[in-house]
Amino acid sequence: MSRQDDRRFLIRAYELAARVEPTAVSPNPRVGCVLVKNNRILSSQAHTRFGQAHAEAKALRVAGARAKGATAYLTLEPCVSFTGKKTSSCAAALIAAGIKRVVCLDRDPNPRVRGKGLSQLKGAGIAITRLNIDRDPEALNRGFYSRMRRFRPWVILKSALSIDGKAAAATGQSRWITGPSARAAVLALRAEVDAILVGAGTVLTDNPVLSAHGAGKNPLRVVLAGRRRLPARARVFDSSAQTIVYKARTRTALLAAMKDLSRRGVGTLLVEGGPTVHAAFLRAGLVDEARVFIAPKLLSGCDDPNAAPTLKTPKLSRLGADWLIEGVV
């Protein structure tokens, strides 16, 4: 098999995995597998749902006896058996099927697997090739890599601001700063993450339900309450999803909360709280990514976000590393 063919089949495996919704397999990683023999694809599969067969097992089942002597292209090192694991070893399945060669994009960051799967394959006489392509293996499973390496979720800070830098009106209200399209994008983002976090202030002021509102699976809801009491009838405690409350007020307590979420299988966390919560995460060095939505409104001195003065046909220009938004009120 040529290097070009190896790249082509490995990219196909990557693209298969990338089509899977991250929350469908979480806390497991998204993985793709392509089985090739005589330069022809026998089967191509991805792990599509947590608790179900892994990509390798599905691909081997489709290929059947034809898999003997084939090459397996994998986006991640095949798993091995360990205490508490629910599914069987994919490394053992590849060996039993008579696979002669494995081309792998990356080693598994899970310390209980890392290196062991490839080592078992090599010990069984299977040729191993680690191949880099123009696809980032970590980008495919940011939450999984973060949990395994840093023992905390991949944190996405989300903020909605007016053009004069306000996250809420003078009354504390923040519904709605942005318009329908931006809110739809936020709901889609919620459906892509394992959990969403706000502070007690957001619960008390806006009483949000923190769901995906039909855009996909509802995430786990997390509230940083500190010493503030939360109403038992707050919508964040309804039956649409599970809610966890942490009394985290210090950096140490916040780090402990992140570690606990990681243990619960939360790989991606969307932080939607207000400025106080955002500042706490930034000070603790816990923000990995930011999504900032900016509405063409002027909230300074305004009591209601929906009645704020708005720019007509705003114009956006880039000035070096900065951005200029201008328009007529």
Side-chain angles (χ1 to χ4, degrees), residues 223-245:
V223 181
L224 295 184
R227 294 178 179 173
R228 304 180 77 170
R229 296 188 64 180
L230 301 174
R233 296 192 176 214
R235 295 201 299 168
V236 76
F237 296 121
D238 70 13
S239 60
S240 62
Q242 183 184 358
T243 302
I244 299 174
V245 178

Side-chain angles (χ1 to χ4, degrees), residues 7-8 10-11 14-15 105 131-137:
R7 287 177 51 81
R8 176 164 59 93
L10 191 54
I11 287 173
Y14 187 99
E15 291 175 345
L105 180 59
L131 183 62
N132 292 322
I133 56 176
D134 58 346
R135 305 290 193 280
D136 183 1

